[in-house]
Short mmCIF file of all heavy atoms in Angstrom, two decimals:
data_model
loop_
_atom_site.label_atom_id
_atom_site.label_comp_id
_atom_site.label_asym_id
_atom_site.label_seq_id
_atom_site.Cartn_x
_atom_site.Cartn_y
_atom_site.Cartn_z
N MET A 1 28.53 24.27 16.14
CA MET A 1 27.31 23.80 15.56
C MET A 1 27.69 23.21 14.08
O MET A 1 28.37 23.89 13.34
CB MET A 1 26.28 24.85 15.34
CG MET A 1 25.07 24.47 14.49
SD MET A 1 23.93 25.87 14.24
CE MET A 1 22.75 25.25 15.46
N PRO A 2 27.19 22.04 13.68
CA PRO A 2 27.70 21.41 12.57
C PRO A 2 26.91 22.13 11.37
O PRO A 2 25.79 22.71 11.53
CB PRO A 2 27.05 19.99 12.65
CG PRO A 2 26.09 19.97 13.87
CD PRO A 2 26.39 21.12 14.71
N SER A 3 27.49 22.03 10.32
CA SER A 3 26.97 22.51 8.96
C SER A 3 25.83 21.48 8.54
O SER A 3 25.74 20.47 9.00
CB SER A 3 27.97 22.79 7.90
OG SER A 3 28.32 21.43 7.44
N PRO A 4 25.05 22.09 7.58
CA PRO A 4 24.02 21.16 7.11
C PRO A 4 24.49 19.90 6.39
O PRO A 4 23.68 18.97 6.41
CB PRO A 4 23.24 22.13 6.09
CG PRO A 4 23.62 23.45 6.40
CD PRO A 4 24.97 23.38 7.04
N ALA A 5 25.82 19.85 6.15
CA ALA A 5 26.36 18.72 5.41
C ALA A 5 27.16 17.92 6.49
O ALA A 5 27.95 17.03 6.06
CB ALA A 5 27.18 19.22 4.28
N SER A 6 26.86 18.08 7.86
CA SER A 6 27.49 17.26 8.63
C SER A 6 26.47 16.77 9.85
O SER A 6 25.38 17.29 9.82
CB SER A 6 28.59 17.99 9.33
OG SER A 6 28.26 19.00 10.10
N ILE A 7 26.82 15.84 10.58
CA ILE A 7 26.04 15.45 11.72
C ILE A 7 26.89 15.01 12.94
O ILE A 7 28.18 14.54 12.71
CB ILE A 7 25.20 14.06 11.12
CG1 ILE A 7 24.23 13.68 12.27
CG2 ILE A 7 26.15 12.89 10.89
CD1 ILE A 7 23.24 12.59 11.80
N THR A 8 26.41 15.31 14.14
CA THR A 8 27.29 15.04 15.17
C THR A 8 27.06 13.58 15.54
O THR A 8 26.17 12.90 15.18
CB THR A 8 26.84 15.95 16.41
OG1 THR A 8 25.46 15.57 16.85
CG2 THR A 8 26.83 17.38 16.03
N VAL A 9 27.92 13.08 16.51
CA VAL A 9 27.93 11.70 16.95
C VAL A 9 26.55 11.37 17.76
O VAL A 9 25.80 10.45 17.55
CB VAL A 9 29.04 11.40 17.90
CG1 VAL A 9 28.91 10.04 18.51
CG2 VAL A 9 30.28 11.46 17.11
N SER A 10 26.12 12.38 18.58
CA SER A 10 24.87 12.30 19.42
C SER A 10 23.72 12.27 18.49
O SER A 10 22.81 11.54 18.60
CB SER A 10 24.82 13.23 20.40
OG SER A 10 24.80 14.59 19.84
N GLN A 11 23.70 13.16 17.40
CA GLN A 11 22.56 13.07 16.42
C GLN A 11 22.42 11.70 15.65
O GLN A 11 21.34 11.22 15.52
CB GLN A 11 22.70 14.31 15.48
CG GLN A 11 22.50 15.63 16.00
CD GLN A 11 22.94 16.70 15.02
OE1 GLN A 11 23.79 16.64 14.25
NE2 GLN A 11 22.21 17.80 15.09
N LEU A 12 23.49 11.28 15.23
CA LEU A 12 23.63 10.04 14.45
C LEU A 12 23.22 8.96 15.31
O LEU A 12 22.45 7.99 14.99
CB LEU A 12 24.98 9.77 13.82
CG LEU A 12 25.03 8.47 13.04
CD1 LEU A 12 24.02 8.51 11.85
CD2 LEU A 12 26.59 8.36 12.54
N SER A 13 23.75 8.85 16.57
CA SER A 13 23.40 7.70 17.49
C SER A 13 21.89 7.75 17.75
O SER A 13 21.30 6.57 18.05
CB SER A 13 24.23 7.73 18.81
OG SER A 13 23.89 8.96 19.49
N ARG A 14 21.24 8.70 17.72
CA ARG A 14 19.68 8.78 17.98
C ARG A 14 18.95 8.30 16.76
O ARG A 14 17.90 7.78 16.93
CB ARG A 14 19.21 10.19 18.37
CG ARG A 14 19.62 10.62 19.72
CD ARG A 14 18.86 11.93 20.10
NE ARG A 14 19.06 13.09 19.29
CZ ARG A 14 20.13 13.95 19.48
NH1 ARG A 14 20.91 13.86 20.47
NH2 ARG A 14 20.36 14.94 18.68
N LEU A 15 19.53 8.26 15.57
CA LEU A 15 18.90 7.77 14.43
C LEU A 15 19.19 6.35 14.08
O LEU A 15 18.32 5.75 13.36
CB LEU A 15 19.34 8.72 13.24
CG LEU A 15 18.99 10.17 13.21
CD1 LEU A 15 19.68 10.83 12.18
CD2 LEU A 15 17.49 10.27 13.18
N ILE A 16 20.26 5.88 14.50
CA ILE A 16 20.56 4.48 14.12
C ILE A 16 19.60 3.47 14.64
O ILE A 16 19.18 3.56 15.77
CB ILE A 16 22.08 4.06 14.73
CG1 ILE A 16 23.10 4.82 13.98
CG2 ILE A 16 22.29 2.58 14.57
CD1 ILE A 16 24.55 4.66 14.56
N GLY A 17 19.04 2.59 13.84
CA GLY A 17 18.05 1.60 14.16
C GLY A 17 16.78 2.13 14.07
O GLY A 17 15.75 1.36 14.32
N THR A 18 16.42 3.40 13.67
CA THR A 18 15.13 3.90 13.41
C THR A 18 14.79 3.92 11.93
O THR A 18 15.58 3.87 11.06
CB THR A 18 15.04 5.35 14.01
OG1 THR A 18 15.85 6.24 13.18
CG2 THR A 18 15.47 5.33 15.44
N PRO A 19 13.43 4.06 11.70
CA PRO A 19 13.05 4.11 10.30
C PRO A 19 13.61 5.35 9.50
O PRO A 19 13.78 5.33 8.31
CB PRO A 19 11.53 4.38 10.32
CG PRO A 19 11.10 3.66 11.77
CD PRO A 19 12.31 4.04 12.63
N SER A 20 14.07 6.27 10.21
CA SER A 20 14.50 7.58 9.65
C SER A 20 16.12 7.54 9.60
O SER A 20 16.69 8.59 9.37
CB SER A 20 14.05 8.88 10.18
OG SER A 20 14.35 8.87 11.67
N ALA A 21 16.76 6.42 9.86
CA ALA A 21 18.12 6.32 9.93
C ALA A 21 18.72 6.48 8.47
O ALA A 21 18.20 6.04 7.45
CB ALA A 21 18.72 5.02 10.39
N PRO A 22 19.78 7.32 8.42
CA PRO A 22 20.44 7.47 7.09
C PRO A 22 21.22 6.35 6.64
O PRO A 22 21.47 5.40 7.39
CB PRO A 22 21.44 8.58 7.25
CG PRO A 22 21.71 8.64 8.73
CD PRO A 22 20.49 7.98 9.40
N VAL A 23 21.53 6.21 5.41
CA VAL A 23 22.42 5.18 4.88
C VAL A 23 23.73 5.59 5.24
O VAL A 23 24.22 6.63 5.04
CB VAL A 23 22.27 5.11 3.20
CG1 VAL A 23 23.35 4.11 2.70
CG2 VAL A 23 20.90 4.84 2.75
N LEU A 24 24.53 4.53 5.84
CA LEU A 24 25.88 4.91 6.28
C LEU A 24 26.81 4.25 5.41
O LEU A 24 26.85 2.86 5.32
CB LEU A 24 25.96 4.34 7.81
CG LEU A 24 24.94 4.84 8.85
CD1 LEU A 24 25.11 4.25 10.08
CD2 LEU A 24 25.02 6.30 8.91
N ILE A 25 27.76 5.09 4.81
CA ILE A 25 28.74 4.38 3.94
C ILE A 25 30.18 4.69 4.46
O ILE A 25 30.56 5.89 4.63
CB ILE A 25 28.64 5.09 2.45
CG1 ILE A 25 27.17 4.95 1.95
CG2 ILE A 25 29.61 4.53 1.51
CD1 ILE A 25 26.92 5.60 0.71
N ASP A 26 30.94 3.64 4.69
CA ASP A 26 32.30 3.81 5.26
C ASP A 26 33.24 3.73 4.08
O ASP A 26 33.37 2.71 3.41
CB ASP A 26 32.51 2.61 6.18
CG ASP A 26 33.84 2.63 6.86
OD1 ASP A 26 34.76 3.34 6.46
OD2 ASP A 26 34.04 1.87 7.83
N LEU A 27 33.94 4.91 3.83
CA LEU A 27 34.87 5.05 2.74
C LEU A 27 36.31 4.98 3.15
O LEU A 27 37.15 5.32 2.42
CB LEU A 27 34.55 6.36 1.97
CG LEU A 27 33.21 6.37 1.39
CD1 LEU A 27 33.18 7.88 0.60
CD2 LEU A 27 32.88 5.40 0.28
N ARG A 28 36.43 4.53 4.40
CA ARG A 28 37.87 4.47 4.87
C ARG A 28 38.72 3.55 4.01
O ARG A 28 38.42 2.53 3.58
CB ARG A 28 37.93 3.99 6.33
CG ARG A 28 37.47 4.91 7.36
CD ARG A 28 37.41 4.37 8.73
NE ARG A 28 36.58 3.28 8.83
CZ ARG A 28 36.53 2.54 9.94
NH1 ARG A 28 37.32 2.51 10.84
NH2 ARG A 28 35.61 1.43 9.86
N ILE A 29 40.03 4.01 3.74
CA ILE A 29 40.94 3.28 2.96
C ILE A 29 41.40 1.95 3.82
O ILE A 29 41.18 1.97 5.06
CB ILE A 29 42.24 4.04 2.51
CG1 ILE A 29 42.95 4.55 3.84
CG2 ILE A 29 41.86 5.12 1.58
CD1 ILE A 29 44.27 5.19 3.42
N ASP A 30 41.80 0.98 3.23
CA ASP A 30 42.13 -0.31 3.98
C ASP A 30 43.10 0.00 5.10
O ASP A 30 42.79 -0.59 6.20
CB ASP A 30 42.71 -1.37 2.91
CG ASP A 30 41.71 -1.84 1.96
OD1 ASP A 30 40.56 -1.81 2.31
OD2 ASP A 30 42.20 -2.42 0.99
N GLU A 31 44.08 0.84 4.93
CA GLU A 31 45.08 1.08 6.03
C GLU A 31 44.42 1.69 7.24
O GLU A 31 44.57 1.23 8.43
CB GLU A 31 46.16 1.98 5.57
CG GLU A 31 47.04 2.35 6.53
CD GLU A 31 48.21 3.41 5.96
OE1 GLU A 31 48.45 3.34 4.89
OE2 GLU A 31 48.67 4.15 6.74
N ASP A 32 43.34 2.61 7.08
CA ASP A 32 42.68 3.17 8.19
C ASP A 32 41.74 2.20 8.73
O ASP A 32 41.63 2.07 10.04
CB ASP A 32 41.98 4.40 7.82
CG ASP A 32 42.89 5.59 7.41
OD1 ASP A 32 44.00 5.55 7.85
OD2 ASP A 32 42.56 6.51 6.57
N PHE A 33 41.06 1.43 7.99
CA PHE A 33 40.10 0.40 8.45
C PHE A 33 40.84 -0.64 9.24
O PHE A 33 40.43 -1.07 10.32
CB PHE A 33 39.33 -0.20 7.30
CG PHE A 33 38.33 -1.18 7.73
CD1 PHE A 33 37.10 -0.91 8.36
CD2 PHE A 33 38.57 -2.59 7.73
CE1 PHE A 33 36.19 -1.69 8.80
CE2 PHE A 33 37.67 -3.52 8.16
CZ PHE A 33 36.45 -3.07 8.77
N ASN A 34 42.02 -1.04 8.84
CA ASN A 34 42.74 -2.13 9.39
C ASN A 34 43.23 -1.66 10.74
O ASN A 34 43.41 -2.54 11.73
CB ASN A 34 43.93 -2.59 8.58
CG ASN A 34 43.37 -3.31 7.40
OD1 ASN A 34 42.16 -3.89 7.38
ND2 ASN A 34 44.14 -3.39 6.28
N SER A 35 43.48 -0.40 11.01
CA SER A 35 44.00 0.12 12.28
C SER A 35 42.93 0.20 13.33
O SER A 35 43.15 0.30 14.40
CB SER A 35 44.72 1.48 12.06
OG SER A 35 43.77 2.44 11.73
N ALA A 36 41.68 0.25 12.70
CA ALA A 36 40.42 0.43 13.66
C ALA A 36 39.29 -0.30 12.95
O ALA A 36 38.36 0.31 12.44
CB ALA A 36 40.15 1.82 14.11
N PRO A 37 39.31 -1.69 12.97
CA PRO A 37 38.30 -2.48 12.04
C PRO A 37 36.94 -2.54 12.74
O PRO A 37 36.35 -3.67 12.76
CB PRO A 37 38.98 -3.81 11.96
CG PRO A 37 39.74 -3.93 13.13
CD PRO A 37 40.31 -2.64 13.57
N LEU A 38 36.49 -1.51 13.11
CA LEU A 38 35.12 -1.47 13.76
C LEU A 38 34.18 -0.65 12.76
O LEU A 38 34.62 0.47 12.30
CB LEU A 38 35.02 -0.79 15.14
CG LEU A 38 35.93 -1.66 16.15
CD1 LEU A 38 35.95 -0.80 17.54
CD2 LEU A 38 35.49 -3.00 16.35
N ASN A 39 32.87 -1.00 12.69
CA ASN A 39 31.96 -0.23 11.83
C ASN A 39 30.80 0.32 12.84
O ASN A 39 30.60 -0.26 13.75
CB ASN A 39 31.27 -1.22 10.86
CG ASN A 39 32.09 -1.38 9.62
OD1 ASN A 39 32.71 -0.36 9.21
ND2 ASN A 39 31.89 -2.48 8.95
N ILE A 40 30.36 1.46 12.28
CA ILE A 40 29.27 1.96 12.98
C ILE A 40 28.11 0.97 12.62
O ILE A 40 28.01 0.56 11.40
CB ILE A 40 28.84 3.37 12.50
CG1 ILE A 40 30.07 4.39 12.82
CG2 ILE A 40 27.54 3.83 12.82
CD1 ILE A 40 29.83 5.76 12.28
N PRO A 41 27.19 0.53 13.60
CA PRO A 41 26.11 -0.38 13.27
C PRO A 41 25.32 0.15 12.09
O PRO A 41 24.86 1.30 12.04
CB PRO A 41 25.34 -0.35 14.55
CG PRO A 41 26.21 0.05 15.69
CD PRO A 41 27.14 0.98 15.05
N GLY A 42 25.21 -0.81 11.11
CA GLY A 42 24.31 -0.57 9.97
C GLY A 42 25.23 0.09 8.70
O GLY A 42 24.72 0.15 7.54
N ALA A 43 26.42 0.41 8.94
CA ALA A 43 27.29 0.91 7.95
C ALA A 43 27.79 -0.04 6.92
O ALA A 43 28.02 -1.27 7.35
CB ALA A 43 28.52 1.69 8.46
N PHE A 44 28.13 0.21 5.82
CA PHE A 44 28.79 -0.71 4.78
C PHE A 44 29.99 -0.06 4.15
O PHE A 44 30.00 1.13 4.03
CB PHE A 44 27.76 -1.32 3.85
CG PHE A 44 27.30 -0.30 2.74
CD1 PHE A 44 27.98 -0.16 1.51
CD2 PHE A 44 26.23 0.57 2.88
CE1 PHE A 44 27.63 0.71 0.58
CE2 PHE A 44 25.86 1.33 1.94
CZ PHE A 44 26.45 1.50 0.78
N ARG A 45 30.93 -0.83 3.96
CA ARG A 45 32.07 -0.31 3.31
C ARG A 45 32.16 -0.26 1.85
O ARG A 45 31.47 -1.13 1.23
CB ARG A 45 33.42 -1.16 3.64
CG ARG A 45 33.61 -1.04 5.16
CD ARG A 45 35.08 -1.60 5.52
NE ARG A 45 36.11 -0.73 4.97
CZ ARG A 45 37.16 -1.22 4.44
NH1 ARG A 45 37.60 -2.54 4.52
NH2 ARG A 45 38.12 -0.42 3.91
N HIS A 46 32.63 0.77 1.31
CA HIS A 46 32.65 0.82 -0.22
C HIS A 46 33.81 1.64 -0.56
O HIS A 46 34.32 2.53 0.09
CB HIS A 46 31.29 1.78 -0.62
CG HIS A 46 31.17 1.69 -2.00
ND1 HIS A 46 30.46 0.67 -2.77
CD2 HIS A 46 31.52 2.61 -2.99
CE1 HIS A 46 30.41 0.94 -4.06
NE2 HIS A 46 31.03 2.08 -4.18
N PRO A 47 34.50 1.28 -1.74
CA PRO A 47 35.74 1.95 -2.11
C PRO A 47 35.33 3.44 -2.52
O PRO A 47 34.41 3.68 -3.33
CB PRO A 47 36.31 1.14 -3.30
CG PRO A 47 35.31 0.04 -3.52
CD PRO A 47 34.23 0.12 -2.61
N PHE A 48 36.13 4.41 -2.01
CA PHE A 48 35.90 5.84 -2.40
C PHE A 48 36.03 6.09 -3.84
O PHE A 48 35.37 6.97 -4.32
CB PHE A 48 36.69 6.62 -1.45
CG PHE A 48 38.09 6.77 -1.73
CD1 PHE A 48 38.65 7.66 -2.73
CD2 PHE A 48 39.06 5.92 -1.14
CE1 PHE A 48 39.87 7.74 -2.95
CE2 PHE A 48 40.33 6.01 -1.44
CZ PHE A 48 40.82 6.91 -2.36
N GLN A 49 36.95 5.35 -4.48
CA GLN A 49 37.19 5.68 -5.89
C GLN A 49 35.85 5.42 -6.74
O GLN A 49 35.79 5.94 -7.95
CB GLN A 49 38.31 4.76 -6.40
CG GLN A 49 39.60 4.98 -5.66
CD GLN A 49 39.79 4.08 -4.61
OE1 GLN A 49 38.87 3.58 -3.96
NE2 GLN A 49 41.00 3.57 -4.31
N SER A 50 34.98 4.63 -6.32
CA SER A 50 33.78 4.30 -7.15
C SER A 50 32.43 4.84 -6.43
O SER A 50 31.40 4.11 -6.61
CB SER A 50 33.72 2.90 -7.44
OG SER A 50 33.67 1.97 -6.25
N ILE A 51 32.49 5.89 -5.62
CA ILE A 51 31.29 6.28 -4.90
C ILE A 51 30.19 6.64 -5.90
O ILE A 51 29.00 6.46 -5.62
CB ILE A 51 31.71 7.57 -4.04
CG1 ILE A 51 30.42 7.83 -3.15
CG2 ILE A 51 32.10 8.64 -4.78
CD1 ILE A 51 30.04 6.70 -2.08
N SER A 52 30.55 7.16 -7.06
CA SER A 52 29.52 7.49 -7.94
C SER A 52 28.64 6.44 -8.56
O SER A 52 27.49 6.72 -8.94
CB SER A 52 30.14 8.21 -9.17
OG SER A 52 30.94 7.37 -9.95
N THR A 53 29.14 5.13 -8.36
CA THR A 53 28.31 3.99 -8.84
C THR A 53 27.14 3.82 -7.83
O THR A 53 26.05 3.25 -8.17
CB THR A 53 29.17 2.74 -8.74
OG1 THR A 53 29.64 2.37 -7.55
CG2 THR A 53 30.27 2.79 -9.72
N LEU A 54 27.16 4.36 -6.69
CA LEU A 54 26.05 4.24 -5.72
C LEU A 54 24.96 5.35 -5.99
O LEU A 54 23.82 5.14 -5.36
CB LEU A 54 26.56 4.41 -4.37
CG LEU A 54 27.51 3.38 -3.79
CD1 LEU A 54 27.88 3.56 -2.41
CD2 LEU A 54 26.69 1.97 -3.79
N THR A 55 25.23 6.35 -6.71
CA THR A 55 24.29 7.47 -6.97
C THR A 55 22.82 6.94 -7.20
O THR A 55 21.91 7.50 -6.51
CB THR A 55 24.79 8.44 -7.86
OG1 THR A 55 26.22 8.88 -7.56
CG2 THR A 55 23.99 9.56 -8.07
N PRO A 56 22.67 6.20 -8.16
CA PRO A 56 21.17 5.68 -8.53
C PRO A 56 20.50 5.10 -7.27
O PRO A 56 19.27 5.34 -7.18
CB PRO A 56 21.34 4.80 -9.70
CG PRO A 56 22.69 5.01 -10.24
CD PRO A 56 23.56 5.54 -9.07
N GLU A 57 21.16 4.30 -6.44
CA GLU A 57 20.59 3.64 -5.37
C GLU A 57 20.21 4.69 -4.18
O GLU A 57 19.40 4.42 -3.39
CB GLU A 57 21.53 2.68 -4.74
CG GLU A 57 21.81 1.52 -5.70
CD GLU A 57 22.90 0.57 -5.19
OE1 GLU A 57 22.87 0.18 -3.98
OE2 GLU A 57 23.77 0.19 -5.92
N LEU A 58 20.97 5.82 -4.20
CA LEU A 58 20.88 6.82 -3.06
C LEU A 58 19.86 7.96 -3.30
O LEU A 58 19.65 8.76 -2.38
CB LEU A 58 22.24 7.17 -2.72
CG LEU A 58 23.25 6.21 -2.15
CD1 LEU A 58 24.58 6.71 -2.05
CD2 LEU A 58 22.63 5.44 -0.95
N ILE A 59 19.30 7.98 -4.44
CA ILE A 59 18.49 9.18 -4.88
C ILE A 59 17.32 9.32 -3.85
O ILE A 59 16.66 8.20 -3.60
CB ILE A 59 17.94 9.07 -6.25
CG1 ILE A 59 19.10 9.25 -7.12
CG2 ILE A 59 16.93 10.11 -6.53
CD1 ILE A 59 18.89 9.05 -8.69
N GLY A 60 17.18 10.36 -3.17
CA GLY A 60 15.98 10.53 -2.30
C GLY A 60 16.28 10.00 -0.91
O GLY A 60 15.33 10.11 -0.09
N GLN A 61 17.43 9.53 -0.56
CA GLN A 61 17.68 9.05 0.73
C GLN A 61 18.80 9.99 1.42
O GLN A 61 19.56 10.71 0.80
CB GLN A 61 18.37 7.65 0.65
CG GLN A 61 17.45 6.66 0.05
CD GLN A 61 18.00 5.38 0.10
OE1 GLN A 61 18.37 4.83 1.28
NE2 GLN A 61 18.11 4.60 -0.96
N HIS A 62 18.76 9.93 2.75
CA HIS A 62 19.69 10.72 3.55
C HIS A 62 20.90 9.78 3.67
O HIS A 62 20.68 8.57 3.90
CB HIS A 62 19.11 11.04 4.95
CG HIS A 62 18.10 12.07 4.89
ND1 HIS A 62 18.32 13.34 4.73
CD2 HIS A 62 16.76 11.78 4.98
CE1 HIS A 62 17.16 14.01 4.73
NE2 HIS A 62 16.21 13.02 4.88
N VAL A 63 22.17 10.38 3.49
CA VAL A 63 23.35 9.52 3.54
C VAL A 63 24.33 10.21 4.47
O VAL A 63 24.58 11.36 4.57
CB VAL A 63 23.94 9.44 1.99
CG1 VAL A 63 25.26 8.69 2.10
CG2 VAL A 63 22.99 8.86 1.11
N VAL A 64 25.20 9.21 5.19
CA VAL A 64 26.23 9.74 6.04
C VAL A 64 27.33 9.08 5.46
O VAL A 64 27.47 7.80 5.43
CB VAL A 64 26.00 9.58 7.56
CG1 VAL A 64 27.29 9.79 8.31
CG2 VAL A 64 24.80 10.35 8.12
N ILE A 65 28.45 9.86 5.08
CA ILE A 65 29.77 9.25 4.59
C ILE A 65 30.70 9.28 5.73
O ILE A 65 30.91 10.32 6.45
CB ILE A 65 30.25 10.28 3.43
CG1 ILE A 65 29.33 10.35 2.24
CG2 ILE A 65 31.65 9.78 3.00
CD1 ILE A 65 28.92 9.04 1.55
N ILE A 66 31.36 8.21 5.94
CA ILE A 66 32.27 8.05 6.99
C ILE A 66 33.71 7.78 6.36
O ILE A 66 33.90 6.94 5.44
CB ILE A 66 31.97 6.81 7.83
CG1 ILE A 66 30.55 6.88 8.38
CG2 ILE A 66 32.85 6.55 9.02
CD1 ILE A 66 29.85 5.64 8.64
N CYS A 67 34.68 8.49 6.99
CA CYS A 67 36.09 8.31 6.57
C CYS A 67 36.97 8.50 7.80
O CYS A 67 36.38 8.83 8.85
CB CYS A 67 36.47 9.15 5.29
SG CYS A 67 36.72 10.91 5.70
N HIS A 68 38.22 8.55 7.67
CA HIS A 68 39.04 8.40 8.81
C HIS A 68 39.08 9.81 9.50
O HIS A 68 38.98 9.83 10.78
CB HIS A 68 40.49 8.08 8.47
CG HIS A 68 41.42 7.90 9.38
ND1 HIS A 68 41.45 6.95 10.42
CD2 HIS A 68 42.52 8.68 9.80
CE1 HIS A 68 42.34 7.17 11.34
NE2 HIS A 68 43.07 8.19 10.93
N ARG A 69 39.22 10.85 8.79
CA ARG A 69 39.26 12.21 9.48
C ARG A 69 38.22 13.19 9.11
O ARG A 69 37.99 14.19 9.70
CB ARG A 69 40.57 12.89 9.08
CG ARG A 69 41.76 12.29 9.52
CD ARG A 69 42.94 13.01 9.46
NE ARG A 69 44.10 12.48 10.21
CZ ARG A 69 44.91 11.57 9.69
NH1 ARG A 69 44.73 11.12 8.41
NH2 ARG A 69 45.93 11.08 10.41
N GLY A 70 37.22 12.76 8.29
CA GLY A 70 36.10 13.69 7.82
C GLY A 70 36.60 14.71 7.05
O GLY A 70 35.85 15.83 7.06
N LYS A 71 37.53 14.57 6.15
CA LYS A 71 38.01 15.70 5.28
C LYS A 71 37.91 15.42 3.86
O LYS A 71 36.84 15.32 3.39
CB LYS A 71 39.33 16.06 5.75
CG LYS A 71 39.53 16.48 7.26
CD LYS A 71 40.56 17.51 7.44
CE LYS A 71 40.55 17.88 8.99
NZ LYS A 71 39.92 19.08 9.25
N LYS A 72 38.99 15.09 3.26
CA LYS A 72 39.12 14.96 1.72
C LYS A 72 38.17 13.90 1.32
O LYS A 72 37.30 14.13 0.30
CB LYS A 72 40.56 14.65 1.31
CG LYS A 72 41.47 15.85 1.47
CD LYS A 72 42.88 15.68 0.95
CE LYS A 72 43.57 14.75 1.73
NZ LYS A 72 44.91 14.60 1.32
N ILE A 73 38.24 12.64 1.74
CA ILE A 73 37.41 11.57 1.18
C ILE A 73 35.91 11.79 1.43
O ILE A 73 35.19 11.69 0.34
CB ILE A 73 37.81 10.25 1.71
CG1 ILE A 73 39.32 9.88 1.18
CG2 ILE A 73 36.86 9.18 1.31
CD1 ILE A 73 39.89 8.60 1.76
N SER A 74 35.58 12.19 2.61
CA SER A 74 34.16 12.28 2.81
C SER A 74 33.50 13.53 2.10
O SER A 74 32.44 13.42 1.52
CB SER A 74 33.81 12.32 4.31
OG SER A 74 34.37 13.40 4.83
N GLN A 75 34.32 14.56 2.18
CA GLN A 75 33.95 15.81 1.49
C GLN A 75 33.89 15.73 0.07
O GLN A 75 32.88 16.12 -0.71
CB GLN A 75 34.73 16.93 1.92
CG GLN A 75 34.45 17.41 3.35
CD GLN A 75 35.58 18.49 3.86
OE1 GLN A 75 36.20 19.13 3.02
NE2 GLN A 75 35.38 18.74 5.14
N GLY A 76 34.74 14.92 -0.57
CA GLY A 76 34.68 14.70 -2.05
C GLY A 76 33.64 13.84 -2.33
O GLY A 76 32.83 14.07 -3.42
N ALA A 77 33.42 12.76 -1.66
CA ALA A 77 32.22 11.86 -1.83
C ALA A 77 30.94 12.49 -1.76
O ALA A 77 30.00 12.38 -2.57
CB ALA A 77 32.33 10.68 -0.98
N THR A 78 30.70 13.45 -0.82
CA THR A 78 29.55 14.19 -0.67
C THR A 78 29.35 15.05 -1.78
O THR A 78 28.13 15.15 -2.29
CB THR A 78 29.62 15.02 0.64
OG1 THR A 78 29.86 14.01 1.73
CG2 THR A 78 28.40 15.78 0.90
N ALA A 79 30.36 15.64 -2.27
CA ALA A 79 30.17 16.54 -3.46
C ALA A 79 29.74 15.73 -4.72
O ALA A 79 28.92 16.23 -5.53
CB ALA A 79 31.45 17.33 -3.78
N ILE A 80 30.31 14.54 -4.86
CA ILE A 80 29.99 13.64 -6.11
C ILE A 80 28.50 13.28 -5.93
O ILE A 80 27.76 13.24 -6.90
CB ILE A 80 30.85 12.38 -6.11
CG1 ILE A 80 32.20 12.85 -6.58
CG2 ILE A 80 30.42 11.37 -7.08
CD1 ILE A 80 33.37 11.83 -6.44
N LEU A 81 28.15 12.89 -4.72
CA LEU A 81 26.74 12.33 -4.54
C LEU A 81 25.79 13.51 -4.75
O LEU A 81 24.61 13.44 -5.03
CB LEU A 81 26.53 11.63 -3.19
CG LEU A 81 27.31 10.33 -3.11
CD1 LEU A 81 27.18 9.75 -1.67
CD2 LEU A 81 26.83 9.34 -4.03
#
């Protein structure tokens, strides 16, 4: 069972394209993105080093952070947001 700070693929796929869809932020580094240059529909890329610049825009919204392995980058970005 995922933690409250995570979402399964099936849960996310049911939300994409709906009014309750979360903001999807792809923080993959260029090397990881170039090896698999596909985005989840509706996701936008953003440099992980400047995730804090998005904070004012994301207040009150549900957000899903996407990275290559779902570890350091996404967990760190989640903590910052």
